Every structure is written in C-alpha cells, then in structure tokens.
Coordinates of all heavy atoms in Angstrom, one line a residue:
M1 N 26.7 78.9 98.4 CA 25.7 79.9 98.8 C 25.0 80.6 97.5 O 24.0 80.8 97.5 CB 26.4 81.0 99.6 CG 25.5 81.9 100.2 SD 26.3 82.9 101.5 CE 25.4 84.4 101.4
Y2 N 25.8 80.7 96.5 CA 25.3 81.3 95.3 C 24.2 80.4 94.7 O 23.2 80.9 94.3 CB 26.4 81.4 94.2 CG 25.9 81.8 92.9 CD1 25.5 83.1 92.6 CD2 25.8 80.8 91.9 CE1 25.1 83.5 91.4 CE2 25.4 81.2 90.6 CZ 25.0 82.6 90.4 OH 24.6 82.9 89.2
R3 N 24.3 79.1 94.7 CA 23.3 78.2 94.2 C 22.0 78.3 95.1 O 20.8 78.2 94.4 CB 23.8 76.8 94.3 CG 24.8 76.5 93.2 CD 25.3 75.1 93.3 NE 24.2 74.2 92.8 CZ 24.4 72.8 92.8 NH1 25.5 72.3 93.0 NH2 23.4 72.1 92.4
G4 N 22.1 78.5 96.3 CA 20.9 78.7 97.2 C 20.0 79.9 96.8 O 18.9 79.9 97.1
W5 N 20.6 80.9 96.2 CA 19.9 82.1 95.8 C 19.3 82.0 94.5 O 18.4 82.9 94.1 CB 20.9 83.4 95.9 CG 21.1 83.7 97.4 CD1 22.3 83.4 98.0 CD2 20.2 84.4 98.2 NE1 22.2 83.9 99.3 CE2 21.0 84.5 99.5 CE3 19.0 85.0 98.2 CZ2 20.5 85.1 100.6 CZ3 18.5 85.6 99.2 CH2 19.2 85.7 100.4
Q6 N 19.6 81.0 93.7 CA 19.1 80.9 92.3 C 17.7 80.4 92.4 O 17.4 79.5 93.1 CB 20.0 80.0 91.5 CG 21.4 80.5 91.3 CD 21.4 81.9 90.7 OE1 20.8 82.0 89.7 NE2 22.0 82.7 91.4
Q7 N 16.8 81.0 91.5 CA 15.4 80.5 91.5 C 15.3 79.4 90.4 O 16.1 79.3 89.5 CB 14.5 81.6 91.1 CG 14.4 82.7 92.2 CD 13.4 83.7 91.9 OE1 12.8 83.7 90.8 NE2 13.1 84.6 92.8
N8 N 14.2 78.6 90.7 CA 13.9 77.5 89.7 C 13.0 78.2 88.7 O 12.2 79.1 88.9 CB 13.1 76.5 90.4 CG 13.9 75.8 91.5 OD1 15.1 75.5 91.3 ND2 13.4 75.6 92.6
V9 N 13.3 78.0 87.4 CA 12.6 78.6 86.4 C 12.0 77.6 85.3 O 12.6 76.6 85.0 CB 13.6 79.5 85.6 CG1 13.0 80.2 84.5 CG2 14.3 80.4 86.5
I10 N 10.8 77.8 84.8 CA 10.3 77.0 83.7 C 10.5 77.8 82.4 O 10.0 78.9 82.3 CB 8.8 76.8 84.1 CG1 8.6 76.0 85.3 CG2 8.1 76.2 82.9 CD1 7.2 75.8 85.8
Y11 N 11.2 77.1 81.6 CA 11.5 77.7 80.2 C 10.7 76.9 79.2 O 10.2 75.8 79.5 CB 13.0 77.5 79.9 CG 13.8 78.4 80.7 CD1 14.7 77.8 81.6 CD2 13.9 79.7 80.5 CE1 15.5 78.6 82.5 CE2 14.8 80.6 81.3 CZ 15.6 80.0 82.3 OH 16.4 80.7 83.1
E12 N 10.7 77.3 78.0 CA 10.0 76.6 76.9 C 10.8 75.4 76.5 O 10.3 74.5 75.9 CB 9.7 77.5 75.7 CG 8.8 78.5 76.1 CD 7.8 78.9 75.1 OE1 7.6 78.1 74.0 OE2 7.0 79.8 75.2
N13 N 12.1 75.2 76.8 CA 12.9 74.1 76.5 C 13.1 73.2 77.7 O 13.8 72.1 77.6 CB 14.2 74.5 75.9 CG 15.1 75.3 76.8 OD1 14.7 75.9 77.7 ND2 16.3 75.3 76.5
G14 N 12.5 73.5 78.8 CA 12.7 72.7 80.1 C 12.6 73.4 81.4 O 12.2 74.6 81.4
I15 N 13.0 72.7 82.5 CA 12.8 73.2 83.8 C 14.2 73.4 84.4 O 14.9 72.4 84.4 CB 11.9 72.4 84.7 CG1 10.5 72.3 84.1 CG2 11.8 72.9 86.1 CD1 9.7 71.2 84.6
L16 N 14.5 74.5 84.9 CA 15.8 74.7 85.5 C 15.4 74.6 87.0 O 14.8 75.3 87.6 CB 16.4 76.1 85.3 CG 17.7 76.4 86.0 CD1 18.8 75.6 85.4 CD2 18.1 77.9 85.8
Y17 N 16.0 73.5 87.6 CA 15.8 73.1 89.0 C 17.1 72.8 89.6 O 17.9 72.0 89.3 CB 14.9 71.9 89.1 CG 14.5 71.5 90.5 CD1 13.6 72.2 91.2 CD2 15.2 70.5 91.1 CE1 13.3 71.8 92.5 CE2 14.9 70.0 92.4 CZ 14.0 70.7 93.1 OH 13.7 70.3 94.4
N18 N 17.5 73.6 90.6 CA 18.8 73.4 91.4 C 20.1 73.3 90.4 O 20.8 72.4 90.4 CB 18.7 72.2 92.3 CG 17.9 72.4 93.5 OD1 17.5 73.6 93.8 ND2 17.6 71.3 94.1
D19 N 20.1 74.3 89.5 CA 21.1 74.4 88.5 C 21.1 73.3 87.4 O 22.2 73.2 86.7 CB 22.5 74.4 89.2 CG 22.8 75.8 89.8 OD1 22.1 76.7 89.5 OD2 23.7 75.9 90.6
Y20 N 20.2 72.5 87.4 CA 20.1 71.5 86.3 C 18.9 71.7 85.4 O 17.8 72.0 86.0 CB 20.0 70.1 86.9 CG 21.2 69.7 87.6 CD1 21.3 69.8 89.0 CD2 22.4 69.3 86.9 CE1 22.5 69.4 89.7 CE2 23.6 68.9 87.6 CZ 23.6 69.0 89.0 OH 24.7 68.7 89.6
L21 N 19.1 71.7 84.2 CA 18.0 71.8 83.2 C 17.5 70.5 82.8 O 18.1 69.6 82.2 CB 18.5 72.6 81.9 CG 17.4 72.9 80.9 CD1 16.3 73.9 81.5 CD2 18.0 73.4 79.6
F22 N 16.2 70.2 83.1 CA 15.6 69.0 82.7 C 14.7 69.3 81.6 O 13.7 70.1 81.6 CB 14.6 68.6 83.9 CG 15.3 68.1 85.1 CD1 15.5 69.1 86.2 CD2 16.0 66.9 85.3 CE1 16.2 68.6 87.3 CE2 16.6 66.5 86.4 CZ 16.8 67.4 87.4
N23 N 15.0 68.6 80.5 CA 14.2 68.8 79.2 C 12.8 68.2 79.4 O 12.6 67.3 80.2 CB 14.9 68.1 78.1 CG 16.2 68.8 77.8 OD1 16.3 70.0 77.9 ND2 17.2 68.1 77.3
W24 N 11.9 68.6 78.5 CA 10.6 68.2 78.7 C 10.4 66.7 78.5 O 9.4 66.1 79.0 CB 9.6 68.9 77.7 CG 9.4 70.3 78.1 CD1 9.9 71.5 77.4 CD2 9.0 70.8 79.3 NE1 9.6 72.6 78.1 CE2 9.0 72.2 79.3 CE3 8.4 70.3 80.4 CZ2 8.5 73.0 80.3 CZ3 7.9 71.1 81.5 CH2 8.0 72.4 81.3
D25 N 11.3 66.0 77.8 CA 11.2 64.6 77.5 C 11.4 63.8 78.8 O 11.2 62.6 78.8 CB 12.0 64.1 76.4 CG 13.5 64.4 76.6 OD1 13.9 65.1 77.5 OD2 14.3 63.8 75.8
K26 N 12.0 64.4 79.8 CA 12.2 63.8 81.1 C 11.0 63.9 82.0 O 11.1 63.3 83.1 CB 13.4 64.4 81.8 CG 14.7 64.4 81.0 CD 15.1 63.0 80.8 CE 16.4 63.0 79.9 NZ 16.5 61.9 78.9
V27 N 10.0 64.7 81.7 CA 8.8 64.9 82.5 C 7.8 63.7 82.3 O 7.5 63.5 81.1 CB 8.2 66.2 82.2 CG1 6.9 66.3 83.1 CG2 9.1 67.4 82.6
I28 N 7.5 63.0 83.4 CA 6.6 61.9 83.3 C 5.1 62.4 83.5 O 4.2 62.1 82.8 CB 6.8 60.8 84.3 CG1 8.2 60.2 84.0 CG2 5.7 59.8 84.4 CD1 8.7 59.2 85.0
S29 N 5.0 63.3 84.5 CA 3.6 63.8 84.8 C 3.8 65.1 85.7 O 4.9 65.3 86.1 CB 2.8 62.9 85.6 OG 3.3 62.5 86.8
Y30 N 2.8 65.8 85.8 CA 2.7 67.0 86.7 C 1.3 67.1 87.3 O 0.3 66.6 86.7 CB 3.1 68.3 86.0 CG 2.1 68.7 84.9 CD1 1.1 69.6 85.2 CD2 2.2 68.2 83.6 CE1 0.2 70.0 84.2 CE2 1.3 68.6 82.6 CZ 0.3 69.5 83.0 OH -0.6 69.9 82.0
R31 N 1.2 67.9 88.4 CA -0.1 68.2 89.0 C 0.1 69.3 89.9 O 1.1 69.6 90.5 CB -0.7 67.0 89.7 CG -0.1 66.6 91.0 CD -0.8 65.4 91.6 NE -0.1 64.9 92.7 CZ -0.5 64.2 93.6 NH1 -1.8 63.7 93.4 NH2 0.1 63.7 94.7
W32 N -1.0 70.2 90.0 CA -1.0 71.3 90.8 C -1.4 70.9 92.2 O -2.4 70.1 92.4 CB -2.0 72.4 90.3 CG -1.5 72.9 89.0 CD1 -1.9 72.5 87.7 CD2 -0.6 73.9 88.9 NE1 -1.3 73.3 86.8 CE2 -0.4 74.1 87.5 CE3 0.1 74.7 89.7 CZ2 0.5 75.1 86.9 CZ3 1.0 75.7 89.2 CH2 1.2 75.9 87.8
R33 N -0.8 71.3 93.2 CA -1.1 71.0 94.6 C -1.7 72.1 95.4 O -2.5 72.9 94.7 CB 0.3 70.6 95.3 CG 1.0 69.5 94.7 CD 0.3 68.2 94.7 NE 0.5 67.7 96.1 CZ 0.1 66.5 96.5 NH1 -0.3 65.7 95.6 NH2 0.2 66.2 97.8
S34 N -1.4 72.4 96.6 CA -2.1 73.3 97.4 C -1.9 74.8 97.1 O -1.0 75.1 96.4 CB -1.6 73.1 98.9 OG -0.2 73.3 98.9
Y35 N -2.8 75.6 97.6 CA -2.7 77.0 97.4 C -2.3 77.6 98.8 O -2.9 77.1 99.8 CB -4.0 77.7 97.0 CG -4.4 77.2 95.7 CD1 -5.2 76.2 95.4 CD2 -4.0 78.1 94.6 CE1 -5.6 75.9 94.1 CE2 -4.4 77.8 93.2 CZ -5.2 76.7 93.0 OH -5.4 76.4 91.7
N36 N -1.4 78.6 98.8 CA -1.0 79.1 100.1 C -0.9 80.6 99.9 O -0.9 81.2 98.8 CB 0.4 78.6 100.5 CG 0.3 77.1 100.7 OD1 -0.4 76.5 101.4 ND2 1.0 76.4 99.9
K37 N -0.7 81.4 101.0 CA -0.5 82.8 101.0 C 0.8 83.1 101.6 O 1.2 82.6 102.7 CB -1.6 83.5 101.8 CG -2.9 83.5 101.1 CD -3.8 84.4 101.8 CE -5.2 84.4 101.0 NZ -6.2 85.4 101.6
N38 N 1.6 84.0 101.0 CA 2.8 84.6 101.5 C 2.4 85.7 102.5 O 1.6 86.6 102.1 CB 3.7 85.2 100.5 CG 4.4 84.0 99.7 OD1 4.8 83.0 100.3 ND2 4.8 84.2 98.5
E39 N 2.8 85.7 103.6 CA 2.4 86.7 104.6 C 3.6 87.7 104.9 O 3.3 88.8 105.3 CB 2.1 86.0 105.9 CG 1.0 85.0 105.9 CD -0.4 85.6 106.0 OE1 -0.5 86.6 106.6 OE2 -1.3 85.0 105.5
F40 N 4.8 87.4 104.5 CA 5.9 88.2 104.9 C 6.5 89.0 103.7 O 6.2 90.1 103.3 CB 6.9 87.4 105.7 CG 6.4 86.8 106.9 CD1 6.1 85.5 107.0 CD2 6.1 87.6 108.0 CE1 5.5 84.9 108.1 CE2 5.6 87.1 109.2 CZ 5.3 85.7 109.2
F41 N 7.6 88.4 103.1 CA 8.3 89.1 102.1 C 7.6 89.4 100.8 O 7.5 90.4 100.3 CB 9.7 88.4 101.9 CG 10.5 88.2 103.1 CD1 10.6 87.0 103.7 CD2 11.0 89.2 103.7 CE1 11.3 86.8 104.8 CE2 11.8 89.1 104.9 CZ 11.9 87.9 105.4
R42 N 7.1 88.3 100.1 CA 6.4 88.5 98.9 C 5.0 88.2 99.1 O 4.6 87.1 99.0 CB 7.0 87.6 97.9 CG 8.3 87.9 97.4 CD 8.7 86.9 96.4 NE 10.1 87.2 95.9 CZ 10.7 86.5 95.0 NH1 10.2 85.4 94.4 NH2 11.9 86.8 94.7
K43 N 4.2 89.2 99.4 CA 2.8 89.0 99.7 C 2.0 88.5 98.4 O 2.3 89.0 97.4 CB 2.2 90.3 100.2 CG 2.7 90.6 101.6 CD 1.9 91.7 102.2 CE 2.6 92.1 103.6 NZ 2.1 91.4 104.7
G44 N 1.0 87.7 98.7 CA 0.3 87.2 97.6 C 0.1 85.7 97.6 O 0.5 85.0 98.6
E45 N -0.7 85.1 96.7 CA -1.0 83.7 96.7 C 0.0 83.0 95.8 O 0.4 83.4 94.7 CB -2.4 83.5 96.3 CG -3.5 84.0 97.2 CD -4.9 83.8 96.8 OE1 -5.1 83.5 95.6 OE2 -5.7 83.8 97.6
Y46 N 0.3 81.7 96.2 CA 1.1 80.9 95.4 C 0.6 79.5 95.4 O -0.2 79.1 96.4 CB 2.6 80.9 95.7 CG 2.9 80.3 97.1 CD1 3.2 79.0 97.2 CD2 2.9 81.2 98.3 CE1 3.6 78.4 98.4 CE2 3.2 80.5 99.4 CZ 3.6 79.2 99.6 OH 3.8 78.7 100.8
C47 N 0.9 78.7 94.5 CA 0.5 77.2 94.5 C 1.7 76.4 94.3 O 2.7 76.9 93.8 CB -0.6 77.0 93.6 SG -0.4 77.6 91.9
I48 N 1.7 75.1 94.6 CA 2.8 74.2 94.5 C 2.5 73.4 93.2 O 1.4 72.7 93.0 CB 2.9 73.3 95.8 CG1 3.1 74.1 96.9 CG2 4.0 72.3 95.5 CD1 4.3 75.0 96.9
L49 N 3.5 73.3 92.4 CA 3.5 72.6 91.2 C 4.4 71.4 91.4 O 5.6 71.6 91.6 CB 4.0 73.3 89.9 CG 4.1 72.5 88.6 CD1 2.8 71.9 88.2 CD2 4.7 73.4 87.5
E50 N 3.9 70.1 91.3 CA 4.7 68.9 91.6 C 4.9 68.2 90.2 O 4.0 67.9 89.5 CB 3.9 68.0 92.5 CG 4.7 66.7 92.9 CD 3.9 65.9 93.9 OE1 4.1 66.1 95.0 OE2 3.2 65.0 93.4
I51 N 6.2 68.0 89.9 CA 6.6 67.4 88.7 C 7.3 66.1 88.9 O 8.2 66.1 89.7 CB 7.4 68.4 87.8 CG1 6.6 69.7 87.5 CG2 7.9 67.7 86.5 CD1 7.5 70.8 86.9
T52 N 6.9 65.1 88.2 CA 7.5 63.8 88.4 C 8.5 63.6 87.1 O 8.0 63.7 86.0 CB 6.5 62.7 88.4 OG1 5.6 62.9 89.5 CG2 7.2 61.3 88.6
L53 N 9.7 63.4 87.5 CA 10.7 63.2 86.3 C 11.1 61.8 86.2 O 11.0 61.0 87.2 CB 12.0 64.1 86.6 CG 11.6 65.6 86.8 CD1 12.9 66.2 87.4 CD2 11.3 66.1 85.5
Q54 N 11.7 61.4 85.1 CA 12.4 60.1 85.1 C 13.5 60.1 86.0 O 14.3 61.0 86.1 CB 12.9 59.9 83.6 CG 11.9 59.8 82.6 CD 12.5 59.6 81.2 OE1 13.6 59.5 81.0 NE2 11.6 59.5 80.2
Q55 N 13.7 58.9 86.7 CA 14.8 58.8 87.6 C 16.1 58.6 86.7 O 16.2 57.8 85.8 CB 14.6 57.6 88.4 CG 15.3 57.7 89.7 CD 14.8 56.6 90.7 OE1 14.3 55.6 90.3 NE2 15.2 56.8 92.0
K56 N 17.1 59.4 87.0 CA 18.3 59.4 86.2 C 19.5 59.9 86.9 O 19.4 60.5 87.8 CB 18.1 60.3 84.8 CG 18.0 61.7 85.1 CD 18.0 62.4 83.8 CE 18.9 63.6 83.9 NZ 19.4 64.2 82.7
R57 N 20.6 59.6 86.3 CA 21.8 60.1 86.8 C 22.1 61.4 86.0 O 22.2 61.4 84.8 CB 23.1 59.2 86.6 CG 24.3 59.6 87.2 CD 25.3 58.5 87.3 NE 24.9 57.3 88.0 CZ 25.0 57.2 89.3 NH1 25.4 58.2 90.0 NH2 24.7 56.1 89.9
I58 N 22.3 62.5 86.8 CA 22.3 63.8 86.2 C 23.8 64.0 85.6 O 24.1 64.5 84.6 CB 22.0 65.0 87.2 CG1 20.5 64.8 87.5 CG2 22.3 66.3 86.7 CD1 20.1 65.8 88.6
D59 N 24.8 63.7 86.5 CA 26.1 63.7 86.0 C 26.9 62.5 86.7 O 26.3 61.6 87.2 CB 26.8 65.0 86.3 CG 26.8 65.4 87.8 OD1 26.9 64.5 88.6 OD2 26.8 66.5 88.1
K60 N 28.2 62.5 86.6 CA 29.0 61.4 87.1 C 28.8 61.1 88.6 O 28.9 60.0 89.0 CB 30.4 61.8 86.8 CG 31.4 60.6 86.9 CD 32.7 61.2 86.1 CE 33.9 60.6 86.7 NZ 35.1 61.1 86.1
F61 N 28.4 62.2 89.3 CA 28.4 62.0 90.7 C 27.1 62.1 91.4 O 26.8 61.7 92.5 CB 29.4 63.0 91.5 CG 30.7 62.9 91.0 CD1 31.3 63.8 90.1 CD2 31.6 61.8 91.5 CE1 32.6 63.7 89.7 CE2 32.9 61.8 91.0 CZ 33.4 62.7 90.1
F62 N 26.1 62.8 90.7 CA 24.9 63.1 91.3 C 23.8 62.4 90.6 O 23.5 62.4 89.4 CB 24.6 64.6 91.1 CG 23.3 65.1 91.7 CD1 23.2 65.2 93.0 CD2 22.3 65.5 90.8 CE1 22.0 65.6 93.6 CE2 21.1 65.9 91.4 CZ 20.9 66.0 92.8
K63 N 22.9 61.6 91.5 CA 21.8 60.9 91.0 C 20.6 61.5 91.5 O 20.6 61.8 92.7 CB 21.9 59.4 91.3 CG 20.8 58.6 90.7 CD 20.9 57.1 91.0 CE 19.7 56.5 90.5 NZ 19.3 55.3 91.2
L64 N 19.6 61.7 90.8 CA 18.3 62.3 91.3 C 17.6 61.1 92.0 O 17.0 60.3 91.2 CB 17.5 62.9 90.1 CG 16.2 63.5 90.5 CD1 16.4 64.7 91.3 CD2 15.4 63.8 89.2
D65 N 17.6 61.1 93.3 CA 17.0 60.0 94.0 C 15.4 60.1 94.1 O 14.7 59.1 93.8 CB 17.5 59.9 95.4 CG 19.0 59.5 95.5 OD1 19.4 58.7 94.7 OD2 19.7 60.0 96.3
N66 N 15.0 61.2 94.2 CA 13.5 61.5 94.4 C 13.2 62.2 93.0 O 13.5 63.3 92.8 CB 13.1 62.3 95.5 CG 11.6 62.4 95.6 OD1 10.9 62.0 94.8 ND2 11.2 63.2 96.6
P67 N 12.4 61.4 92.1 CA 12.0 62.0 90.9 C 10.9 63.1 91.0 O 10.7 63.6 89.9 CB 11.6 60.8 90.0 CG 11.2 59.8 91.1 CD 12.0 60.1 92.3
K68 N 10.5 63.4 92.1 CA 9.5 64.4 92.2 C 10.2 65.8 92.7 O 10.8 65.8 93.6 CB 8.4 64.1 93.1 CG 7.6 63.0 92.6 CD 6.4 62.7 93.5 CE 5.6 61.5 92.9 NZ 4.3 61.5 93.2
I69 N 9.9 66.8 92.0 CA 10.4 68.1 92.3 C 9.1 69.0 92.5 O 8.1 68.8 91.9 CB 11.4 68.8 91.3 CG1 10.7 68.9 89.9 CG2 12.6 67.9 91.3 CD1 11.5 69.6 88.9
K70 N 9.2 69.9 93.5 CA 8.0 70.9 93.8 C 8.5 72.3 93.5 O 9.6 72.6 94.1 CB 7.6 70.6 95.2 CG 7.1 69.3 95.5 CD 6.6 69.1 96.9 CE 6.0 67.7 97.0 NZ 5.6 67.4 98.4
L71 N 7.7 73.0 92.9 CA 8.0 74.4 92.6 C 7.0 75.2 93.1 O 5.7 75.0 93.0 CB 8.1 74.6 91.0 CG 9.1 73.7 90.3 CD1 8.9 73.8 88.8 CD2 10.5 74.1 90.7
K72 N 7.4 76.4 93.7 CA 6.4 77.3 94.2 C 6.1 78.4 93.0 O 7.0 78.9 92.4 CB 7.1 78.2 95.4 CG 6.1 79.1 96.1 CD 6.8 80.0 97.0 CE 6.9 79.2 98.4 NZ 7.3 80.2 99.5
V73 N 4.8 78.4 92.7 CA 4.4 79.3 91.4 C 3.4 80.3 91.9 O 2.5 80.0 92.7 CB 3.7 78.3 90.4 CG1 3.2 79.1 89.3 CG2 4.7 77.3 90.0
N74 N 3.6 81.5 91.5 CA 2.7 82.6 91.8 C 1.3 82.3 91.0 O 1.4 81.8 89.9 CB 3.3 83.9 91.2 CG 2.4 85.1 91.4 OD1 1.1 85.0 91.4 ND2 2.9 86.2 91.7
C75 N 0.3 82.4 91.8 CA -1.0 82.0 91.3 C -1.4 82.7 89.9 O -2.1 82.2 89.1 CB -2.2 82.1 92.3 SG -2.1 80.8 93.6
G76 N -0.9 84.0 89.9 CA -1.2 84.7 88.7 C -0.5 84.1 87.4 O -0.9 84.4 86.4
D77 N 0.6 83.4 87.6 CA 1.3 82.8 86.5 C 0.8 81.4 86.2 O 1.3 80.7 85.3 CB 2.8 82.8 86.8 CG 3.3 84.1 87.0 OD1 2.8 85.1 86.5 OD2 4.4 84.3 87.7
R78 N -0.1 80.8 86.9 CA -0.5 79.4 86.8 C -1.0 79.2 85.3 O -0.6 78.1 84.8 CB -1.6 79.0 87.8 CG -2.0 77.6 87.7 CD -3.1 77.2 88.6 NE -3.5 75.9 88.3 CZ -4.2 75.1 89.1 NH1 -4.5 75.6 90.3 NH2 -4.6 74.0 88.7
E79 N -1.9 79.9 84.7 CA -2.4 79.7 83.5 C -1.3 79.7 82.3 O -1.3 78.8 81.4 CB -3.5 80.8 83.1 CG -4.7 80.6 83.9 CD -5.3 79.2 83.8 OE1 -5.4 78.7 82.7 OE2 -5.7 78.7 84.9
I80 N -0.3 80.6 82.5 CA 0.8 80.6 81.5 C 1.7 79.4 81.6 O 1.9 78.8 80.6 CB 1.7 81.9 81.8 CG1 0.9 83.2 81.5 CG2 3.0 81.9 80.9 CD1 1.6 84.4 82.0
I81 N 2.0 79.0 82.8 CA 2.8 77.8 83.0 C 2.0 76.6 82.7 O 2.5 75.6 82.0 CB 3.2 77.7 84.6 CG1 4.3 78.9 84.8 CG2 3.9 76.4 84.8 CD1 4.5 79.0 86.2
N82 N 0.7 76.5 83.0 CA -0.1 75.4 82.5 C -0.1 75.2 81.0 O -0.1 74.1 80.5 CB -1.5 75.5 83.1 CG -2.2 74.2 83.3 OD1 -1.5 73.2 83.8 ND2 -3.5 74.1 83.0
G83 N -0.1 76.4 80.3 CA -0.1 76.3 78.8 C 1.2 75.7 78.3 O 1.2 74.9 77.4
I84 N 2.3 76.1 79.0 CA 3.6 75.5 78.5 C 3.7 74.1 78.9 O 4.1 73.3 78.0 CB 4.7 76.3 79.4 CG1 4.8 77.8 78.9 CG2 6.1 75.6 79.1 CD1 5.8 78.6 79.7
L85 N 3.1 73.6 80.0 CA 3.1 72.2 80.4 C 2.3 71.4 79.5 O 2.7 70.4 79.0 CB 2.6 72.1 81.9 CG 3.5 72.6 82.9 CD1 2.7 72.6 84.3 CD2 4.8 71.7 83.0
E86 N 1.1 71.9 79.0 CA 0.3 71.2 78.2 C 0.9 71.1 76.7 O 0.7 70.1 76.1 CB -1.1 71.9 78.1 CG -1.9 71.7 79.4 CD -3.2 72.4 79.3 OE1 -3.5 73.2 78.3 OE2 -4.0 72.3 80.3
K87 N 1.6 72.1 76.4 CA 2.2 72.2 75.1 C 3.4 71.3 75.0 O 3.6 70.5 73.9 CB 2.7 73.5 74.7 CG 3.3 73.7 73.4 CD 3.6 75.2 73.1 CE 4.2 75.5 71.8 NZ 4.6 76.8 71.6
Y88 N 4.2 71.1 76.0 CA 5.5 70.4 75.9 C 5.5 69.0 76.5 O 6.5 68.3 76.4 CB 6.7 71.3 76.4 CG 6.9 72.4 75.5 CD1 6.5 73.7 75.9 CD2 7.5 72.3 74.3 CE1 6.8 74.8 75.0 CE2 7.7 73.3 73.4 CZ 7.4 74.5 73.8 OH 7.6 75.6 72.9
T89 N 4.5 68.7 77.4 CA 4.6 67.4 78.0 C 3.6 66.5 77.3 O 2.5 66.9 76.8 CB 4.2 67.4 79.5 OG1 2.9 68.0 79.7 CG2 5.3 68.2 80.3
I90 N 3.9 65.2 77.2 CA 3.1 64.3 76.6 C 2.0 63.7 77.5 O 0.8 63.6 77.2 CB 3.9 63.1 76.0 CG1 5.0 63.6 75.0 CG2 3.0 62.0 75.5 CD1 6.0 62.6 74.5
I91 N 2.4 63.4 78.7 CA 1.5 62.8 79.8 C 1.2 63.9 80.7 O 2.2 64.5 81.3 CB 2.1 61.7 80.4 CG1 2.5 60.6 79.4 CG2 1.2 61.1 81.5 CD1 3.4 59.4 79.9
N92 N -0.1 64.2 81.0 CA -0.5 65.2 82.0 C -0.9 64.6 83.3 O -1.5 63.5 83.2 CB -1.5 66.1 81.4 CG -1.0 67.0 80.3 OD1 0.1 67.3 80.3 ND2 -1.9 67.2 79.3

C-alpha cells in the first residue's frame, strides 16, 4: 500500500517510477501526449508524458515487460521538465 502512494518523480539523474530509478541512459525516446483537466481533487490541467525505455531486467525477479511508461505532468511544469529531458536525453 505504501508503494501505491508514492509519486513518480523526474530528477536530474533519472526518473523514479514505481520505486525504480531509471537513469537517463535508459531512455530511448519521449513524447508529450494528450492534455486533460482534473475536475475533482487537484483542479487544473495536466498532460501525459510517454517515455520509452530500454527493455531490461530491473532486478533478479522483475522484468520491465512494457518499455513505455506514462507520467501525469502538471501543464505548468511542462517547460521545466522538457528542459531536463532535452538536456539529459540523447534521442528526442
């Protein structure tokens, strides 16, 4: 239950997604997807960031089957995150 409450975070050294830190060298590509509006708890606009990762075994038991992860991003933070993505990824 604790893991379910943790948020996915984009850091300058990688992306924390479901308790795993993916370094930037694991990112193959990224693209911005749809824009949506939150109507209930956190009002405002958000967009979906889809990141394609190298398919890999994360640890002894867990393999990342789908190399695409989707992150919900506040639209106001898009430019900051886009700057980090452009700085640290090779392929856009």
Side-chain angles (χ1 to χ4, degrees):
M1 188 166 151
Y2 172 76
R3 287 179 70 176
W5 288 100
Q6 298 304 305
Q7 290 188 354
N8 301 318
V9 182
I10 297 177
Y11 293 109
E12 296 219 9
N13 62 340
I15 300 167
L16 182 65
Y17 180 78
N18 289 347
D19 284 345
Y20 293 101
L21 182 66
F22 295 97
N23 294 327
W24 291 118
D25 61 345
K26 304 296 182 217
V27 175
I28 295 172
S29 66
Y30 67 91
R31 68 180 176 166
W32 293 97
R33 303 291 287 189
S34 62
Y35 292 91
N36 300 300
K37 286 189 177 184
N38 282 329
E39 303 274 335
F40 299 106
F41 301 110
R42 292 183 179 176
K43 294 190 184 270
E45 294 182 340
Y46 68 91
C47 47
I48 302 297
L49 173 61
E50 183 179 272
I51 298 173
T52 304
L53 301 167
Q54 292 177 4
Q55 206 168 17
K56 70 171 219 161
R57 187 167 297 281
I58 295 173
D59 60 29
K60 197 165 147 181
F61 303 104
F62 181 73
K63 183 179 183 212
L64 182 66
D65 291 325
N66 184 0
K68 291 188 184 208
I69 58 174
K70 294 180 182 177
L71 304 172
K72 188 188 272 191
V73 176
N74 183 323
C75 284
D77 297 334
R78 180 179 172 165
E79 292 303 316
I80 295 167
I81 292 170
N82 208 42
I84 293 170
L85 292 168
E86 288 174 358
K87 182 177 179 181
Y88 291 108
T89 57
I90 297 170
I91 301 171
N92 295 324

